[in-house]
Amino acid sequence: MESARRSERFRVERDVLDELKLEEVTQRKSYADIHSSLSEQLKNALRCNIHYLKQSIVRRLPVLYWLPKYSVWDYGMPDLISGISVGIMHLPQGMAYALLASLPPVFGLYSSLYPALVYFFFGTSRHVSIGTFTVLSIMVGSVTERLAPDVDFQKANGTNITAEVDVTARDSYRVQVAAATTVLGGLIQVLLGVVKFGFVGTYLSEPLVRAYTTAAAAHAVVAQLKYIFGVSPTRFSGPLSLVYTLKDVCSLLPNTHLPTLLVSVVTIVLLIAAKELNSFLSSKLPVPIPVELITIVAGTLISSYAHLNTNYTISVVGEIPSGLSSPSVPDVNLFGEVISDAFALAIVGYAITISLGKTFALKHGYKVDSNQELVALGLSNTVGGFFQCFSVCSSMSRSLIQDTTGVKTQMAGVASSLIVLVTILKLGTLFQELPKAVLSAVVFVNLKGMFKQYYDIVTLWRSSKIDLVLWLVTWVSTLLLNLDLGLAASVTFAVFTVIFRTQLPTYSVLGNIPGTELYVDIEMHREARGIPGVTIFRSSATVYFANADLYLEALKEKSGLNISKMIIYKRRQEAKQKRRERRAERRAKRQAKRERRAQRAARQLSEFSVEEEGGCWRDTSIDGTVIVEDEQGGTERENGTVFVIPTTPRTPDGRWEYLKGGDPDCTSLGWMSELQDGDTTTLGSSSEDTLSQDLERISLGSLGKWTWDIHSIILDLSTANFTDTVAIKTMKNIFQDFSEIDVDVYMAGCQASVVEQLEHGDFFSEKITKRRLFASVHDAVLHCLNHRGATTIPRHEPSVELHTSTKL
């Protein structure tokens, strides 16, 4: 009973609302009311300048908002444990991913230190771990090896050039290339964040990002094969570089360095086993076991005591300088050569960071500012580039570790940076004997999560074929065209899929659900009932220049009315009617003229005798009536009847023609008039109506409809969130064309922004007023039925009657 009373409170009876009545009821504000003038904006800006400045500073420097409220007792221990756990992961991943970037391992440690500290001040996500990441490291490596290949740094011995490479000079130049690319990419991110361009990451859909990272994992595997097998393949760049590199590695497999391969295989097997054990015991362990750190420590110890480098020529990390490097300005002359790569790094890094940040924010109930994240990531890269760091973003594995260890704030980033700082200052030299094969194995095993993304093919096959095609196109283009061109091709194809979807939306005719004011697709719902004489048409997409013509064609098809043919038919009927009226006028004039002649002839008959001597003729008709006419044509009175007979030729049997029945005078004159007009058939008024109906039936039958049973069309525009000039012109044409065949057109469900755009586009006129727009489809249906003389919708089970007031 209580629920019934509550529902009764929300039962409303109201009048049918068109746009004009809706504006009166809602008191819609004008443009001037919503948008203040420039002078008022300046006054408000000056009045709130100090307050706005404070808010702006806090918004640009989020640490000022949360750090004063930081509670050491509540957040200190979770942040410390999380920071230490992630800092331990930074060490092996930083050095391993530096190899992907074709840089010395110590620069991976630098990239794990400086950017994380900068993000502490400017970032808004509490759970992401900023540092090195597989995909960005591969993209940086493609730039460094393209601009600083080994062949450019081969040592010269007199006049001969040996195969030995000047590693020191090569690595120094590659560091400059990576730093220049990182700084430029960071500046691009900062600029995009300042101009509120944070939404650019939304154009990188989840299928695109996952396919791109999956293909990047394949690039990472191929890049690490030379360290795993101990071979030296030729470095290729540009499209199909992956194919060429893989082919070269396969050709060098007979030259595999077996000790290096053994170290790689053993490390991979141990890492996989340790990670599986770690995953199995994750519910029982407060902190995951740092298997990667244990692996590199064990590998370093074994290599150092067994002298793997000297005894078995296994390649090791080499010299790692202790201490921090001084900042330096990158070579700006390299900006022109790396600008496209820098832009790709900026977009991909931001897309990965914001996707992870929003995921954790939604899980833990806080907000991440997209534009501020773009600025924070850009500053992290820009500042890091001055300290010889390469491009960074959030890491999926490290962020998950931070989340599982109970991180509370960005203070965990400071704790992880301290771990990396201690390693650089005091422990870096201990890793000089670490085999590069061990770092390659760490990279290889960490790609396991990306390899699992191939299951997306099965999932997308079941859920969305278009997303599956996007996934496959992104994966193939990234594999074949390399990371930069592959990203451009993928984004371009993604945009085309959006255009394709808007150009081919779902068009439907709506019907009423009996007993409700709901209207659904008739083809998809059995209980939906069409409204007699009314077609309700809806598109699933916004109508704009790309699909306006398709919208019009679909409307014609769904309504079953071919406007062009019907307009032609109507004009022909109007032309025929005008010709009939003109012929009727001419007939009336000729009839009046003949009547006047007959009257004059009757007056003349009274002046001379009926029979005269000579020059007379007599003939007998079929029924025996005697008809007499003189040579000039005359009359004969017989049995008291006077026949007025014009001079006409005789029939072949010699008899005179006349029309029998009715009034002889009128009948003969009317019949002769039809002959003189050249018509072969004479129709009365009833027969003319019958012929007109038959012609209309035949003409409409050729169009697929025997009757013109549609008097109103309602365009449901509830799905439209904007419109443009092309769509407005199309709507105008719809109103004008259907009015030619006496079909009324109405709009329903238009948003206020769409109505405002229609006003600015001069859509409304004397013929098309706002009374053609209705607040809902139900209002429009009621108006159509009342306007055309009907007041109810046909009854169904359960029966329903809709009046001029509707219940919502």
Side-chain angles (χ1 to χ4, degrees):
M1 190 68 180
E2 182 65 24
S3 61
R5 285 197 297 268
R6 285 199 302 266
S7 63
E8 188 66 27
R9 291 170 53 195
F10 296 98
R11 191 180 299 275
V12 179
E13 288 194 3
R14 61 173 177 80
D15 295 333
V16 174
L17 295 178
D18 55 33
E19 183 63 26
L20 290 178
K21 292 182 180 178
L22 182 64
E23 291 180 0
E24 294 177 1
V25 172
T26 60
Q27 296 295 313
R28 186 159 73 93
K29 296 180 179 179
S30 64
Y31 182 85
D33 296 332
I34 300 174
H35 302 85
S36 58
S37 63
L38 181 60
S39 59
E40 293 178 353
Q41 292 179 8
L42 292 175
K43 291 179 181 178
N44 294 332
L46 293 175
R47 188 181 306 114
C48 304
N49 189 26
I50 299 177
H51 179 68
Y52 175 78
L53 183 60
K54 292 181 179 179
Q55 287 186 337
S56 179
I57 294 175
V58 172
R59 187 171 61 252
R60 292 302 181 190
L61 202 62
V63 68
L64 297 179
Y65 173 76
W66 62 267
L67 188 59
K69 304 176 183 178
Y70 188 82
S71 173
V72 178
W73 297 106
D74 295 333
Y75 304 148
M77 188 57 64
D79 287 343
L80 181 61
I81 294 175
S82 178
I84 294 174
S85 302
V86 174
I88 292 174
M89 291 185 65
H90 267 299
L91 301 179
Q93 289 187 0
M95 291 189 291
Y97 293 157
L99 295 182
L100 289 177
S102 298
L103 299 173
V106 68
F107 293 96
L109 297 179
Y110 294 157
S111 301
S112 301
L113 172 62
Y114 297 106
L117 291 176
V118 175
Y119 186 84
F120 166 79
F121 292 98
F122 297 95
T124 59
S125 177
R126 306 171 190 171
H127 292 79
V128 297
S129 174
I130 298 298
T132 57
F133 187 59
T134 310
V135 176
L136 296 190
S137 301
I138 299 171
M139 297 176 69
V140 172
S142 65
V143 181
T144 55
E145 295 199 9
R146 187 185 76 241
L147 298 182
D150 291 341
V151 294
D152 292 348
F153 298 92
Q154 290 181 350
K155 294 182 178 179
N157 185 9
T159 58
N160 298 325
I161 298 178
T162 64
E164 187 177 357
V165 177
D166 188 354
V167 177
T168 304
R170 181 200 65 184
D171 291 344
S172 177
Y173 188 69
R174 286 182 176 179
V175 168
Q176 295 183 31
V177 172
T181 306
T182 302
V183 169
L184 184 57
L187 292 176
I188 292 174
Q189 290 174 329
V190 172
L191 179 61
L192 293 178
V194 170
V195 298
K196 308 294 184 181
F197 210 66
F199 68 89
V200 69
T202 60
Y203 286 94
L204 301 179
S205 63
E206 183 180 1
L208 188 149
V209 174
R210 291 176 68 87
Y212 185 79
T213 54
T214 304
H219 281 275
V221 169
V222 174
Q224 297 306 301
L225 290 179
K226 61 181 180 180
Y227 299 111
I228 292 176
F229 290 100
V231 295
S232 299
T234 304
R235 177 66 183 180
F236 299 94
S237 61
L240 300 179
S241 60
L242 179 70
V243 178
Y244 296 142
T245 303
L246 186 60
K247 179 182 177 181
D248 195 19
V249 169
C250 292
S251 65
L252 295 175
L253 287 180
N255 301 326
T256 300
H257 191 247
L258 294 180
T260 301
L261 179 61
L262 180 61
V263 172
S264 302
V265 172
V266 172
T267 305
I268 290 174
V269 172
L270 292 177
L271 275 173
I272 292 177
K275 281 184 172 289
E276 291 298 327
L277 180 63
N278 204 4
S279 177
F280 179 75
L281 299 175
S282 60
S283 60
K284 300 179 181 179
L285 297 174
V287 178
I289 300 174
V291 293
E292 295 171 337
L293 181 61
I294 295 174
T295 300
I296 65 171
V297 170
T300 302
L301 293 176
I302 294 173
S303 175
S304 178
Y305 284 103
H307 303 287
L308 297 181
N309 184 24
T310 57
N311 295 336
Y312 302 98
T313 64
I314 294 178
S315 179
V316 295
V317 169
E319 181 182 359
I320 297 179
S322 60
L324 299 175
S325 61
S326 59
S328 61
V329 179
D331 187 0
V332 294
N333 296 324
L334 294 172
F335 283 0
E337 301 183 55
V338 300
I339 184 170
S340 60
D341 303 281
F343 186 81
L345 284 166
I347 298 300
V348 174
Y350 170 69
I352 296 173
T353 302
I354 195 61
S355 60
L356 285 175
K358 287 186 175 181
T359 300
F360 289 118
L362 182 64
K363 178 180 178 181
H364 295 280
Y366 63 93
K367 184 180 179 182
V368 172
D369 189 342
S370 300
N371 294 307
Q372 182 59 30
E373 282 295 295
L374 195 53
V375 172
L377 188 61
L379 291 175
S380 299
N381 282 311
T382 303
V383 175
F386 284 97
F387 289 93
Q388 291 81 48
C389 300
F390 56 89
S391 294
V392 298
C393 68
S394 62
S395 168
M396 189 178 303
S397 59
R398 295 195 304 270
S399 299
L400 288 174
I401 294 298
Q402 279 201 163
D403 182 39
T404 55
T405 52
V407 67
K408 298 299 182 181
T409 65
Q410 292 92 318
M411 191 65 73
V414 177
S416 63
S417 299
L418 291 177
I419 300 296
V420 177
L421 178 62
V422 172
T423 303
I424 294 174
L425 295 178
K426 299 298 182 180
L427 304 177
T429 56
L430 299 179
F431 295 105
Q432 292 180 358
E433 294 297 323
L434 175 64
K436 291 184 178 179
V438 174
L439 293 177
S440 298
V442 171
V443 173
F444 193 90
V445 175
N446 282 335
L447 295 175
K448 176 186 174 182
M450 293 187 182
F451 291 147
K452 288 183 178 180
Q453 293 178 160
Y454 283 104
Y455 287 109
D456 292 350
I457 297 176
V458 179
T459 304
L460 294 176
W461 173 264
R462 297 171 181 172
S463 59
S464 175
K465 300 297 188 299
I466 296 180
D467 286 340
L468 174 60
V469 173
L470 176 60
W471 196 99
L472 294 175
V473 169
T474 302
W475 183 76
V476 173
S477 61
T478 305
L479 282 181
L480 300 181
L481 301 179
N482 218 339
L483 294 174
D484 48 358
L485 295 178
L487 177 63
S490 304
V491 173
T492 303
F493 184 79
V495 173
F496 275 115
T497 59
V498 175
I499 297 175
F500 177 77
R501 294 183 188 187
T502 57
Q503 279 191 315
L504 297 177
T506 301
Y507 299 106
S508 56
V509 174
L510 306 184
N512 177 255
I513 300 298
T516 70
E517 79 287 353
L518 303 177
Y519 294 83
V520 294
D521 189 354
I522 291 179
E523 296 180 357
M524 299 182 63
H525 300 84
R526 294 188 181 92
E527 293 299 321
R529 300 290 184 267
I531 310 300
V534 180
T535 295
I536 308 171
F537 180 74
R538 180 174 65 189
S539 170
S540 61
T542 297
V543 185
Y544 69 112
F545 70 92
N547 60 10
D549 292 337
L550 299 175
Y551 183 87
L552 178 58
E553 295 299 326
L555 175 59
K556 294 178 181 178
E557 179 182 355
K558 292 291 185 178
S559 65
L561 299 177
N562 192 318
I563 301 177
S564 58
K565 290 185 178 180
M566 288 186 169
I567 291 176
I568 293 174
Y569 167 74
K570 180 181 178 182
R571 291 175 179 174
R572 288 179 178 175
Q573 293 297 101
E574 292 176 351
K576 290 181 180 179
Q577 182 64 27
K578 291 180 180 179
R579 287 196 298 269
R580 293 193 190 101
E581 293 175 357
R582 287 195 298 268
R583 285 199 296 267
E585 291 177 359
R586 290 196 298 268
R587 290 172 186 169
K589 292 179 181 179
R590 287 194 292 266
Q591 183 69 16
K593 185 176 181 180
R594 292 190 182 95
E595 288 178 357
R596 289 193 297 270
R597 290 179 180 176
Q599 292 175 0
R600 287 197 302 269
R603 288 195 299 268
Q604 291 176 0
L605 287 176
S606 61
E607 298 176 359
F608 54 87
S609 59
V610 177
E611 284 190 27
E612 293 182 3
E613 296 287 338
C616 294
W617 55 265
R618 181 181 292 270
D619 200 354
T620 306
S621 65
I622 298 176
D623 58 356
T625 303
V626 177
I627 303 174
V628 180
E629 184 179 5
D630 57 12
E631 293 179 355
Q632 287 77 26
T635 60
E636 177 71 334
R637 184 185 302 273
E638 186 156 323
N639 297 330
T641 301
V642 177
F643 293 90
V644 180
I645 304 175
T647 304
T648 58
R650 294 175 178 268
T651 59
D653 57 0
R655 300 185 181 275
W656 297 93
E657 296 180 356
Y658 75 103
L659 187 62
K660 187 177 180 182
D663 187 0
D665 294 338
C666 297
T667 302
S668 61
L669 289 173
W671 177 61
M672 293 306 297
S673 172
E674 292 295 331
L675 289 178
Q676 291 177 3
D677 288 340
D679 295 336
T680 58
T681 306
T682 303
L683 300 174
S685 60
S686 61
S687 62
E688 287 185 0
D689 294 340
T690 302
L691 178 62
S692 176
Q693 293 175 1
D694 291 340
L695 289 174
E696 181 178 357
R697 184 179 181 85
I698 293 172
S699 299
L700 289 178
S702 64
L703 299 177
K705 298 183 70 68
W706 290 106
T707 56
W708 209 306
D709 55 355
I710 296 177
H711 57 71
S712 301
I713 290 178
I714 299 173
L715 305 179
D716 182 6
L717 299 180
S718 57
T719 58
N721 55 1
F722 73 94
T723 186
D724 58 7
T725 56
V726 177
I728 291 175
K729 290 180 180 179
T730 301
M731 292 298 175
K732 280 185 177 181
N733 293 335
I734 291 174
F735 275 80
Q736 294 173 357
D737 292 344
F738 279 99
S739 65
E740 291 284 339
I741 57 175
D742 299 326
V743 175
D744 298 330
V745 181
Y746 302 93
M747 292 180 176
C750 295
Q751 299 181 17
S753 59
V754 175
V755 176
E756 185 177 352
Q757 291 169 358
L758 292 176
E759 292 176 344
H760 294 329
D762 296 331
F763 175 76
F764 299 106
S765 60
E766 295 181 358
K767 295 183 178 180
I768 306 176
T769 65
K770 287 188 177 181
R771 296 196 180 275
R772 296 289 189 99
L773 274 66
F774 290 88
S776 66
V777 173
H778 195 58
D779 292 289
V781 169
L782 295 177
H783 174 80
C784 293
L785 297 179
N786 293 334
H787 180 65
R788 290 290 185 167
T791 58
T792 61
I793 291 178
R795 296 176 181 271
H796 305 287
E797 293 296 335
S799 62
V800 58
E801 183 172 346
L802 302 179
H803 303 284
T804 55
S805 295
T806 178
K807 292 182 178 181
L808 299 179

